[in-house]
PDB file of all heavy atoms in Angstrom:
ATOM      1  N   TRP Z 278       5.479 -17.576 -34.492  1.00 95.00           N
ATOM      2  CA  TRP Z 278       6.778 -17.870 -33.887  1.00 95.00           C
ATOM      3  C   TRP Z 278       7.932 -17.360 -34.742  1.00 95.00           C
ATOM      4  O   TRP Z 278       8.938 -18.045 -34.952  1.00 95.00           O
ATOM      5  CB  TRP Z 278       6.934 -19.371 -33.604  1.00 95.00           C
ATOM      6  CG  TRP Z 278       5.931 -19.888 -32.633  1.00 95.00           C
ATOM      7  CD1 TRP Z 278       5.364 -19.215 -31.604  1.00 95.00           C
ATOM      8  CD2 TRP Z 278       5.378 -21.202 -32.586  1.00 95.00           C
ATOM      9  NE1 TRP Z 278       4.485 -20.018 -30.921  1.00 95.00           N
ATOM     10  CE2 TRP Z 278       4.475 -21.248 -31.514  1.00 95.00           C
ATOM     11  CE3 TRP Z 278       5.548 -22.350 -33.360  1.00 95.00           C
ATOM     12  CZ2 TRP Z 278       3.748 -22.391 -31.191  1.00 95.00           C
ATOM     13  CZ3 TRP Z 278       4.827 -23.486 -33.049  1.00 95.00           C
ATOM     14  CH2 TRP Z 278       3.944 -23.500 -31.969  1.00 95.00           C
ATOM     15  N   ASP Z 307       2.622 -14.073 -29.816  1.00 98.00           N
ATOM     16  CA  ASP Z 307       2.027 -13.788 -28.509  1.00 98.00           C
ATOM     17  C   ASP Z 307       2.621 -12.495 -27.959  1.00 98.00           C
ATOM     18  O   ASP Z 307       3.759 -12.485 -27.486  1.00 98.00           O
ATOM     19  CB  ASP Z 307       2.321 -14.933 -27.539  1.00 98.00           C
ATOM     20  CG  ASP Z 307       1.676 -16.226 -27.992  1.00 98.00           C
ATOM     21  OD1 ASP Z 307       0.524 -16.459 -27.630  1.00 98.00           O
ATOM     22  OD2 ASP Z 307       2.334 -16.982 -28.743  1.00 98.00           O
ATOM     23  N   PHE Z 351      -1.827 -13.094 -30.102  1.00 98.00           N
ATOM     24  CA  PHE Z 351      -2.648 -14.128 -29.456  1.00 98.00           C
ATOM     25  C   PHE Z 351      -3.010 -13.667 -28.053  1.00 98.00           C
ATOM     26  O   PHE Z 351      -2.607 -14.241 -27.042  1.00 98.00           O
ATOM     27  CB  PHE Z 351      -1.905 -15.453 -29.431  1.00 98.00           C
ATOM     28  CG  PHE Z 351      -1.570 -15.981 -30.798  1.00 98.00           C
ATOM     29  CD1 PHE Z 351      -0.275 -16.355 -31.112  1.00 98.00           C
ATOM     30  CD2 PHE Z 351      -2.544 -16.084 -31.775  1.00 98.00           C
ATOM     31  CE1 PHE Z 351       0.047 -16.835 -32.368  1.00 98.00           C
ATOM     32  CE2 PHE Z 351      -2.240 -16.560 -33.039  1.00 98.00           C
ATOM     33  CZ  PHE Z 351      -0.935 -16.935 -33.340  1.00 98.00           C
ATOM     34  N   ARG Z 365      -1.283 -20.798 -15.649  1.00 98.00           N
ATOM     35  CA  ARG Z 365      -1.714 -19.771 -16.596  1.00 98.00           C
ATOM     36  C   ARG Z 365      -2.644 -18.753 -15.945  1.00 98.00           C
ATOM     37  O   ARG Z 365      -3.125 -17.841 -16.622  1.00 98.00           O
ATOM     38  CB  ARG Z 365      -2.342 -20.419 -17.828  1.00 98.00           C
ATOM     39  CG  ARG Z 365      -1.374 -21.377 -18.494  1.00 98.00           C
ATOM     40  CD  ARG Z 365      -1.733 -21.726 -19.914  1.00 98.00           C
ATOM     41  NE  ARG Z 365      -1.359 -20.662 -20.826  1.00 98.00           N
ATOM     42  CZ  ARG Z 365      -1.346 -20.795 -22.162  1.00 98.00           C
ATOM     43  NH1 ARG Z 365      -1.691 -21.942 -22.723  1.00 98.00           N
ATOM     44  NH2 ARG Z 365      -0.993 -19.791 -22.939  1.00 98.00           N
ATOM     45  N   LYS Z 404      -8.651 -15.842 -26.240  1.00 98.00           N
ATOM     46  CA  LYS Z 404      -8.278 -17.246 -26.024  1.00 98.00           C
ATOM     47  C   LYS Z 404      -8.411 -17.579 -24.551  1.00 98.00           C
ATOM     48  O   LYS Z 404      -8.427 -16.649 -23.725  1.00 98.00           O
ATOM     49  CB  LYS Z 404      -6.851 -17.490 -26.527  1.00 98.00           C
ATOM     50  CG  LYS Z 404      -5.746 -16.872 -25.638  1.00 98.00           C
ATOM     51  CD  LYS Z 404      -4.383 -17.095 -26.238  1.00 98.00           C
ATOM     52  CE  LYS Z 404      -3.287 -16.650 -25.263  1.00 98.00           C
ATOM     53  NZ  LYS Z 404      -1.951 -16.717 -25.838  1.00 98.00           N
ATOM     54  N   HIS Z 405      -8.493 -18.841 -24.207  1.00 98.00           N
ATOM     55  CA  HIS Z 405      -8.569 -20.053 -25.004  1.00 98.00           C
ATOM     56  C   HIS Z 405      -9.987 -20.553 -24.813  1.00 98.00           C
ATOM     57  O   HIS Z 405     -10.357 -20.897 -23.681  1.00 98.00           O
ATOM     58  CB  HIS Z 405      -7.578 -21.101 -24.511  1.00 98.00           C
ATOM     59  CG  HIS Z 405      -6.164 -20.554 -24.339  1.00 98.00           C
ATOM     60  ND1 HIS Z 405      -5.742 -19.867 -23.247  1.00 98.00           N
ATOM     61  CD2 HIS Z 405      -5.090 -20.630 -25.169  1.00 98.00           C
ATOM     62  CE1 HIS Z 405      -4.445 -19.532 -23.385  1.00 98.00           C
ATOM     63  NE2 HIS Z 405      -4.033 -19.973 -24.530  1.00 98.00           N
ATOM     64  N   MET Z 448      -9.283 -18.144 -30.309  1.00 98.00           N
ATOM     65  CA  MET Z 448      -8.451 -19.350 -30.300  1.00 98.00           C
ATOM     66  C   MET Z 448      -9.165 -20.416 -29.481  1.00 98.00           C
ATOM     67  O   MET Z 448      -9.628 -20.145 -28.374  1.00 98.00           O
ATOM     68  CB  MET Z 448      -7.079 -19.064 -29.682  1.00 98.00           C
ATOM     69  CG  MET Z 448      -6.109 -20.248 -29.771  1.00 98.00           C
ATOM     70  SD  MET Z 448      -4.576 -19.952 -28.836  1.00 98.00           S
ATOM     71  CE  MET Z 448      -3.832 -18.650 -29.781  1.00 98.00           C
ATOM     72  N   TYR Z 451      -6.963 -25.996 -25.583  1.00 98.00           N
ATOM     73  CA  TYR Z 451      -6.328 -27.305 -25.762  1.00 98.00           C
ATOM     74  C   TYR Z 451      -7.165 -28.486 -25.276  1.00 98.00           C
ATOM     75  O   TYR Z 451      -7.112 -29.560 -25.828  1.00 98.00           O
ATOM     76  CB  TYR Z 451      -5.029 -27.346 -24.947  1.00 98.00           C
ATOM     77  CG  TYR Z 451      -3.794 -26.855 -25.664  1.00 98.00           C
ATOM     78  CD1 TYR Z 451      -2.926 -25.976 -25.041  1.00 98.00           C
ATOM     79  CD2 TYR Z 451      -3.483 -27.288 -26.946  1.00 98.00           C
ATOM     80  CE1 TYR Z 451      -1.776 -25.530 -25.679  1.00 98.00           C
ATOM     81  CE2 TYR Z 451      -2.333 -26.843 -27.588  1.00 98.00           C
ATOM     82  CZ  TYR Z 451      -1.479 -25.972 -26.955  1.00 98.00           C
ATOM     83  OH  TYR Z 451      -0.356 -25.542 -27.582  1.00 98.00           O
ATOM     84  N   ASP Z 483      -5.454 -23.719 -30.937  1.00 98.00           N
ATOM     85  CA  ASP Z 483      -4.213 -23.534 -30.213  1.00 98.00           C
ATOM     86  C   ASP Z 483      -3.144 -24.376 -30.931  1.00 98.00           C
ATOM     87  O   ASP Z 483      -3.450 -25.213 -31.786  1.00 98.00           O
ATOM     88  CB  ASP Z 483      -4.343 -23.900 -28.732  1.00 98.00           C
ATOM     89  CG  ASP Z 483      -3.261 -23.203 -27.896  1.00 98.00           C
ATOM     90  OD1 ASP Z 483      -2.222 -22.811 -28.463  1.00 98.00           O
ATOM     91  OD2 ASP Z 483      -3.439 -23.066 -26.672  1.00 98.00           O
ATOM     92  N   ALA Z 484      -1.881 -24.139 -30.575  1.00 97.00           N
ATOM     93  CA  ALA Z 484      -0.789 -24.771 -31.309  1.00 97.00           C
ATOM     94  C   ALA Z 484      -0.929 -26.289 -31.263  1.00 97.00           C
ATOM     95  O   ALA Z 484      -1.047 -26.869 -30.181  1.00 97.00           O
ATOM     96  CB  ALA Z 484       0.546 -24.344 -30.714  1.00 97.00           C
ATOM     97  N   MET Z 515      -3.331 -24.125 -36.336  1.00 98.00           N
ATOM     98  CA  MET Z 515      -2.049 -23.564 -35.902  1.00 98.00           C
ATOM     99  C   MET Z 515      -1.009 -24.671 -35.819  1.00 98.00           C
ATOM    100  O   MET Z 515      -0.992 -25.473 -34.883  1.00 98.00           O
ATOM    101  CB  MET Z 515      -2.180 -22.873 -34.542  1.00 98.00           C
ATOM    102  CG  MET Z 515      -0.893 -22.171 -34.097  1.00 98.00           C
ATOM    103  SD  MET Z 515      -0.908 -21.638 -32.372  1.00 98.00           S
ATOM    104  CE  MET Z 515      -1.995 -20.241 -32.394  1.00 98.00           C
ATOM    105  N   TRP Z 622       5.545 -15.044 -20.027  1.00 91.00           N
ATOM    106  CA  TRP Z 622       5.073 -14.763 -21.387  1.00 91.00           C
ATOM    107  C   TRP Z 622       5.815 -13.613 -22.043  1.00 91.00           C
ATOM    108  O   TRP Z 622       5.224 -12.620 -22.474  1.00 91.00           O
ATOM    109  CB  TRP Z 622       3.583 -14.453 -21.454  1.00 91.00           C
ATOM    110  CG  TRP Z 622       2.816 -15.529 -22.149  1.00 91.00           C
ATOM    111  CD1 TRP Z 622       1.627 -16.028 -21.706  1.00 91.00           C
ATOM    112  CD2 TRP Z 622       3.121 -16.240 -23.370  1.00 91.00           C
ATOM    113  NE1 TRP Z 622       1.191 -17.012 -22.562  1.00 91.00           N
ATOM    114  CE2 TRP Z 622       2.083 -17.160 -23.591  1.00 91.00           C
ATOM    115  CE3 TRP Z 622       4.167 -16.204 -24.287  1.00 91.00           C
ATOM    116  CZ2 TRP Z 622       2.057 -18.027 -24.676  1.00 91.00           C
ATOM    117  CZ3 TRP Z 622       4.153 -17.068 -25.373  1.00 91.00           C
ATOM    118  CH2 TRP Z 622       3.096 -17.955 -25.557  1.00 91.00           C
ATOM    119  N   GLU Z 711       2.342 -21.052 -19.076  1.00 96.00           N
ATOM    120  CA  GLU Z 711       1.955 -22.321 -19.684  1.00 96.00           C
ATOM    121  C   GLU Z 711       2.866 -23.441 -19.188  1.00 96.00           C
ATOM    122  O   GLU Z 711       4.080 -23.255 -19.035  1.00 96.00           O
ATOM    123  CB  GLU Z 711       2.040 -22.216 -21.207  1.00 96.00           C
ATOM    124  CG  GLU Z 711       1.511 -23.476 -21.873  1.00 96.00           C
ATOM    125  CD  GLU Z 711       1.449 -23.384 -23.380  1.00 96.00           C
ATOM    126  OE1 GLU Z 711       1.699 -22.304 -23.936  1.00 96.00           O
ATOM    127  OE2 GLU Z 711       1.148 -24.423 -23.996  1.00 96.00           O
TER     128      GLU Z 711
HETATM  129  C1  BGC S1268      -0.448 -21.498 -26.075  1.00 94.78           C
HETATM  130  C2  BGC S1268      -1.184 -20.314 -26.633  1.00 94.78           C
HETATM  131  C3  BGC S1268      -0.296 -19.541 -27.568  1.00 94.78           C
HETATM  132  C4  BGC S1268       0.214 -20.471 -28.647  1.00 94.78           C
HETATM  133  C5  BGC S1268       1.093 -19.774 -29.661  1.00 94.78           C
HETATM  134  C6  BGC S1268       0.242 -22.305 -27.145  1.00 94.78           C
HETATM  135  O1  BGC S1268       1.118 -23.238 -26.579  1.00 94.78           O
HETATM  136  O2  BGC S1268      -1.361 -22.303 -25.359  1.00 94.78           O
HETATM  137  O3  BGC S1268      -1.664 -19.499 -25.604  1.00 94.78           O
HETATM  138  O4  BGC S1268      -0.989 -18.460 -28.111  1.00 94.78           O
HETATM  139  O5  BGC S1268       0.961 -21.502 -28.047  1.00 94.78           O
HETATM  140  O6  BGC S1268       2.305 -19.413 -29.132  1.00 94.78           O
END
Side-chain angles (χ1 to χ4, degrees):
W278 298 329
D307 296 272
F351 299 128
R365 303 198 78 168
K404 73 183 188 186
H405 310 82
M448 186 188 292
Y451 271 133
D483 202 338
M515 185 192 286
W622 249 136
E711 186 175 353

